[in-house]
């Protein structure tokens, strides 16, 4: 498979993920507006590759003589949930302000992402030894990163090591990233994969068909609350009830230490037409969030390039993010855990932790944190949402 994103010398070449699996189409993005459009329309999707593509988009804008602040703002606001984009834009902008080469900074992010994914894959492979049956959600592999992936990086690492691995991939409604992208990627790589409807995942978990759940992340608060593709929260709740470990796999640049918990994570809302997509569907209001927030209490561990982070995440996440030289790391993935004696290794017991709060809009017409065309409504308790739209009214960009 060609790289998900690469620099050609005068353009950003990406795989148009909207065309998969029917056709593998490469697009050359030659302006910052091309980059913004590709991200907003899901030609480019996946938190890590959004970040690296956005970084190169800033370079294109600067080469066209656009002001740095204008270009950085234009790119960063395209996806408010995935913090990787803001991190990447900030890195390139900082290089430009310091008189360094912004292109070198952007290309450095691509190389760093490849290495971080490799380390995540190896750490997850070790962590999930003896657990061959993995359930995953959305797409978190080579299409979503510049490396082997985060959650799917663990799958690829197992396969490359000759270990047994079988994947249950949720369809991931409404845009079917699991059925379209994850199934295509794994089948192409020779990995055993089976697609199941989103609504069948709980039955698979309670029926003993899954050894572990592994998902990606678009933003992780300092307490471990994790924003990911909508449907992740339901998987975490079902996994807890079934006693199946639930892991998040993400690079540390997905961690937002500025957020105490997930209540302040902005949640993008997509168009109603993505849900009411069948002939004759009734034109009624739709709430179509692109993401939900899983409480950190439901997460067994967070697999990162620094190793597997253990609860309490309010201790292990800041420790990993602030570790000196964390971009370099060592060749041996390990645990980052609570330093207090006797804490940090064991996964949470089934049923432990606080109850997840439903994240739903309470009423229409109130101000939303994320503004999208045609959206109203205000968030319920928890993450901030744009409100429900109507069929055919475009929403904000989703994953």
């Amino acid at each position: 498979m060609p790289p998900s994103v690469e620099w050609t010398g005068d353009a950003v070449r990406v795989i148009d993920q909207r065309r998969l699996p029917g056709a593998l189409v490469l697009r050359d993005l030659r302006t910052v507006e091309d980059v913004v459009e590709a991200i907003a329309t899901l030609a480019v999707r996946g938190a890590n590759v959004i970040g690296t593509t956005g970084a190169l988009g800033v370079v294109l804008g600067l080469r066209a003589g656009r002001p740095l602040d204008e270009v950085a703002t234009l790119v960063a606001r395209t996806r408010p949930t995935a913090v990787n984009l803001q991190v990447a834009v900030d890195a390139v902008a900082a290089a430009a302000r310091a008189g360094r080469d912004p292109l070198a900074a952007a290309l450095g992010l691509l190389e760093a992402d490849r290495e971080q994914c490799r380390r995540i894959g190896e750490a997850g492979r070790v962590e999930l030894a003896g657990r061959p049956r993995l359930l995953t959600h959305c797409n978190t592999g080579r299409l979503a990163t510049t490396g082997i992936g985060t959650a799917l990086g663990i799958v690829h690492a197992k396969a490359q090591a000759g270990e047994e691995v079988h994947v249950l991939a949720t369809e991931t409604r409404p845009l079917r990233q699991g059925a379209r992208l994850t199934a295509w990627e794994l089948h192409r790589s020779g990995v055993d994969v089976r697609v199941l409807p989103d609504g069948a995942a709980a039955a698979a978990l309670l029926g003993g068909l899954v050894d572990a759940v592994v998902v990606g992340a678009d933003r992780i608060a300092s307490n471990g609350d994790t924003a990911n593709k909508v449907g992740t929260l339901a998987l975490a709740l079902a996994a807890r009830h079934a006693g199946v470990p639930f892991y998040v796999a993400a690079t540390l640049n997905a961690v937002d230490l500025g957020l105490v918990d997930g209540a302040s994570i902005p949640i993008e809302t997509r168009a109603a037409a993505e849900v009411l997509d069948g002939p004759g569907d009734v034109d009624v209001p739709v709430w179509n969030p692109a993401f939900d927030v899983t409480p950190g209490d439901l997460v067994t561990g967070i697999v990162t390039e620094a190793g597997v982070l253990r609860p309490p995440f309010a201790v292990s996440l800041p420790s990993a993010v602030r570790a000196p030289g964390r971009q370099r790391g060592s060749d041996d993935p390990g645990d980052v855990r609570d330093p207090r004696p006797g804490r940090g290794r064991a996964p949470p017991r089934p049923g432990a932790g606080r109850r997840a709060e439903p994240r739903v809009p309470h009423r229409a017409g109130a101000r939303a944190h994320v503004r999208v065309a045609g959206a109203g409504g205000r968030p319920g308790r928890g993450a901030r949402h744009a409100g429900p739209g109507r069929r055919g009214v475009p929403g904000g960009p989703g994953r």
Side-chain angles (χ1 to χ4, degrees):
M1 188 174 80
S4 56
V5 57
E6 63 179 331
W7 177 252
T8 67
D10 60 357
V12 184
R13 181 166 293 164
V14 300
I15 295 175
D16 189 340
Q17 298 188 39
R18 298 168 303 183
R19 304 289 299 276
L20 292 171
L24 179 57
V25 176
L26 300 179
R27 287 185 60 194
D28 283 351
L29 312 177
R30 300 189 180 279
T31 69
V32 64
E33 286 81 10
D34 288 346
V35 169
V36 168
E37 184 271 342
I39 294 172
T41 62
L42 304 187
V44 173
R45 52 141 301 280
N48 294 48
V49 80
I50 286 169
T52 51
T53 302
L56 290 169
V58 173
V59 173
L60 288 173
L62 293 176
R63 287 193 167 194
R66 303 274 289 275
L68 174 58
D69 289 344
E70 174 189 306
V71 171
T73 300
L74 176 65
V75 174
R77 72 185 181 189
T78 311
R79 295 293 302 272
T81 301
V83 74
N84 306 62
L85 178 58
Q86 186 69 64
V87 169
V89 168
D90 288 348
V92 175
R97 291 189 180 101
R100 300 193 304 273
D101 182 6
L103 177 59
L107 294 177
L109 293 174
L110 269 71
E111 290 302 319
D113 188 55
R114 292 188 187 100
E115 174 60 15
Q116 290 159 4
C117 288
R118 183 195 69 79
R119 291 174 55 77
I120 286 171
E122 182 59 17
R125 183 189 70 81
V126 173
E127 175 73 11
L128 297 178
R131 295 183 183 271
R133 302 176 303 169
L134 305 181
L135 174 65
T136 193
H137 190 53
C138 200
N139 174 263
T140 58
R142 293 188 171 107
L143 291 168
T145 69
T146 60
I148 62 172
T150 52
L152 285 191
I154 297 171
V155 172
H156 287 303
K158 278 179 165 286
Q160 290 167 5
E163 298 179 8
E164 182 182 6
V165 61
H166 309 280
V167 176
L168 279 175
T170 59
E171 181 186 12
T172 319
R173 287 286 301 166
L175 298 179
R176 305 181 69 245
Q177 291 96 327
R180 291 191 305 110
L181 305 178
T182 294
W184 177 83
E185 178 178 330
L186 293 182
H187 180 72
R188 186 183 178 96
S189 299
V191 175
D192 180 45
V193 58
R194 178 176 296 185
V195 173
L196 75 164
D198 294 353
L205 284 160
L206 270 68
L209 303 181
V210 179
D211 295 319
V213 180
V214 188
V215 300
D218 287 81
R219 187 181 301 225
I220 304 173
S222 59
N223 70 338
D225 290 357
T226 298
N228 192 50
K229 179 64 182 177
V230 67
T232 302
L233 173 57
L235 293 178
L237 291 168
R240 171 58 57 88
H241 190 75
V244 174
F246 180 92
Y247 289 90
V248 171
T251 53
L252 286 171
N253 58 13
V255 179
D256 189 345
L257 295 182
L259 299 180
V260 175
D261 56 36
S264 298
I265 297 176
I267 300 298
E268 303 164 25
T269 301
R270 294 286 301 174
E274 292 177 353
V275 178
L276 302 178
D277 57 354
D281 282 347
V282 179
D283 186 9
V284 297
V286 169
W287 184 53
N288 183 21
F291 305 91
D292 56 28
V293 177
T294 297
D297 291 349
L298 297 176
V299 178
T300 303
I302 302 176
V303 187
T304 75
E305 67 268 29
V308 183
L309 312 189
R310 312 286 179 181
F313 297 116
V315 175
S316 59
L317 279 168
S319 176
V321 170
R322 294 169 178 158
R326 69 175 175 88
Q327 293 292 340
R328 294 187 300 272
S330 67
D331 288 334
D332 294 323
D335 291 343
V336 178
R337 18 179 147 174
D338 185 350
R340 291 175 288 177
R343 302 294 184 100
R345 178 108 190 145
R349 62 180 176 81
R354 64 181 174 85
R355 177 176 294 179
E357 298 286 352
R359 289 161 167 82
V360 297
H362 285 183
R363 63 179 175 85
R367 186 174 181 179
H369 179 77
V370 181
R371 291 186 175 274
V372 295
R378 71 175 174 86
R381 192 174 170 188
R384 298 179 179 181
H385 292 271
R390 288 190 176 272
R391 188 178 184 182
V393 177
R399 187 172 178 197

